[in-house]
Amino acid sequence: MQETREINALFNLIDDPDEEVYSTISEKILGYGKGIIPNLEHLWETTLNEETQERIEMIIHRLHYTDLQNDLTEWRDSPYNDLLFGSLLVCKFQYPDLHTTPVLQDIEKIRRNVWLELNSFLTPLEQANVLSSILYNYYNLKGSEIAHTNPDDFFIHKVLESKKGNTLSNAIVYQVLCELLDINARIINIPRQCLIAFFHSDFDPDTYKGNPKNKIHFYIDPTSGHAYSHADIENYFKRISVPPVSFYFKPLSHKRIIQVLLEEVAKCFTSPKDEYKQKELVKLADLFS
């Protein structure tokens, strides 16, 4: 009862015009943790003043953000950083109430459709053709180059919902499926491009000491599923006048993929009113530095 009285007292001061008072009040409310969100949502619904509603929305956002910080830190420090789970955590920045079950079901449907068409006698290129055919032709996934105009293009649940993503989010979907199907294909980040490299089955980036390029069969463009040869990639490097050093062919770790995803989403929030979101996303990306 004492706690309820204190919460009500704090809520009564949310609309205080003194910024210093509001700052103190909001910090005390944040101290209650995300369990106070239903109370705040009820307060928002019963408040007519728009400025007060905006303050309530910001407090709720900060509570979700703190929760997300903790979840991403726990994901980073876990022994196995599941790529799909990490990608869904990024979605929760903009969609904190996201239900992940439909996403897992969508991925499982695609995985099963691909699995039914695979067998142990297929070459890596034939495996890629099956996966790309189902993902881009049957499932009808579309892709585009990265443009920072719509953050939804980076959020996996929105990509699966709209069947439209960019080169990075599509690549994450592709790699997640490959991991579920025991196909050794990983994201590499050559300059100005994001590609899926199909590695030899015995390739392990943690133990291999040579140039990873020597262990790549071919490359897949995640915007279309189109396959590229080594000659295609060599020509690309010549065209952009960049030496094809071994670093560019090393697969990105799950942690690095999530860091890049956070950095790219941050670039979508450039307007003055969204600047705080950009700073928050950069701070989340810095967790992986």
Side-chain angles (χ1 to χ4, degrees):
M1 186 63 72
Q2 182 63 41
E3 193 172 273
T4 304
R5 281 206 297 271
E6 185 179 335
I7 289 170
N8 289 337
L10 292 170
F11 283 2
N12 287 331
L13 291 168
I14 279 183
D15 59 355
D16 195 296
D18 188 320
E19 282 295 327
E20 197 170 320
V21 172
Y22 165 66
S23 177
T24 303
I25 294 303
S26 63
E27 288 302 322
K28 285 191 174 182
I29 293 172
L30 290 169
Y32 282 93
K34 65 178 181 179
I36 203 172
I37 289 175
N39 306 63
L40 287 162
E41 288 173 338
H42 176 72
L43 180 64
W44 186 93
E45 289 166 3
T46 55
T47 299
L48 299 177
N49 185 285
E50 281 189 20
E51 285 184 20
T52 305
Q53 283 184 328
E54 285 177 9
R55 282 184 167 185
I56 296 167
E57 287 167 10
M58 182 56 71
I59 292 171
I60 291 173
H61 172 78
R62 287 180 65 192
L63 284 162
H64 283 308
Y65 178 73
T66 300
D67 204 37
L68 180 58
Q69 269 186 314
N70 294 335
D71 286 346
L72 277 169
T73 302
E74 191 177 319
W75 181 87
R76 179 198 67 192
D77 296 339
S78 67
Y80 177 66
N81 319 107
D82 183 84
L83 181 56
L84 179 57
F85 183 52
S87 304
L88 289 171
L89 285 178
V90 176
C91 299
K92 289 193 171 189
F93 176 82
Q94 193 77 335
Y95 298 93
D97 298 320
L98 171 67
H99 295 291
T100 59
T101 301
V103 182
L104 302 177
Q105 289 172 338
D106 278 346
I107 289 289
E108 174 54 23
K109 282 178 192 171
I110 302 169
R111 183 208 68 81
R112 183 165 177 77
N113 283 332
V114 177
W115 177 78
L116 288 169
E117 299 295 326
L118 294 177
N119 64 64
S120 56
F121 302 106
L122 297 183
T123 66
L125 185 57
E126 287 169 335
Q127 289 178 330
N129 287 339
V130 169
L131 207 163
S132 294
S133 176
I134 287 173
L135 193 54
Y136 298 96
N137 298 333
Y138 175 72
Y139 188 73
N140 211 27
L141 180 67
K142 298 286 185 280
S144 61
E145 293 305 313
I146 288 178
H148 300 98
T149 53
N150 184 6
D152 281 356
D153 289 344
F154 292 95
F155 298 137
I156 299 303
H157 75 295
K158 284 294 183 182
V159 171
L160 293 171
E161 189 181 289
S162 65
K163 298 185 179 179
K164 181 181 73 72
N166 56 41
T167 183
L168 177 56
S169 55
N170 280 11
I172 291 171
V173 171
Y174 203 104
Q175 178 166 324
V176 164
L177 289 166
C178 285
E179 290 177 357
L180 291 170
L181 293 159
D182 291 324
I183 295 172
N184 198 8
R186 306 274 296 276
I187 295 171
I188 61 171
N189 201 5
I190 66 174
R192 301 172 221 165
Q193 291 289 336
C194 183
L195 294 176
I196 300 284
F198 270 67
F199 288 92
H200 294 191
S201 58
D202 63 349
F203 172 72
D204 182 348
D206 296 325
T207 58
Y208 186 73
K209 301 301 181 187
N211 187 337
K213 180 184 174 185
N214 300 329
K215 288 289 187 176
I216 295 174
H217 292 292
F218 54 87
Y219 310 82
I220 294 291
D221 180 349
T223 63
S224 63
H226 181 78
Y228 293 124
S229 66
H230 282 289
D232 293 327
I233 301 305
E234 285 166 13
N235 288 335
Y236 172 76
F237 274 100
K238 286 176 186 173
R239 197 162 66 248
I240 63 171
S241 302
V242 173
V245 295
S246 63
F247 169 77
Y248 294 127
F249 298 93
K250 185 177 180 182
L252 300 185
S253 69
H254 289 180
K255 290 180 186 179
R256 178 57 183 151
I257 291 169
I258 296 305
Q259 183 178 39
V260 171
L261 185 61
L262 288 163
E263 289 168 349
E264 293 300 323
V265 175
K267 295 173 187 175
C268 297
F269 297 101
T270 54
S271 66
K273 73 180 180 65
D274 285 335
E275 190 179 356
Y276 74 96
K277 288 187 176 183
Q278 186 174 70
K279 288 178 180 176
E280 287 175 343
L281 284 157
V282 169
K283 192 174 176 183
L284 291 175
D286 286 345
L287 291 173
F288 299 91
S289 297

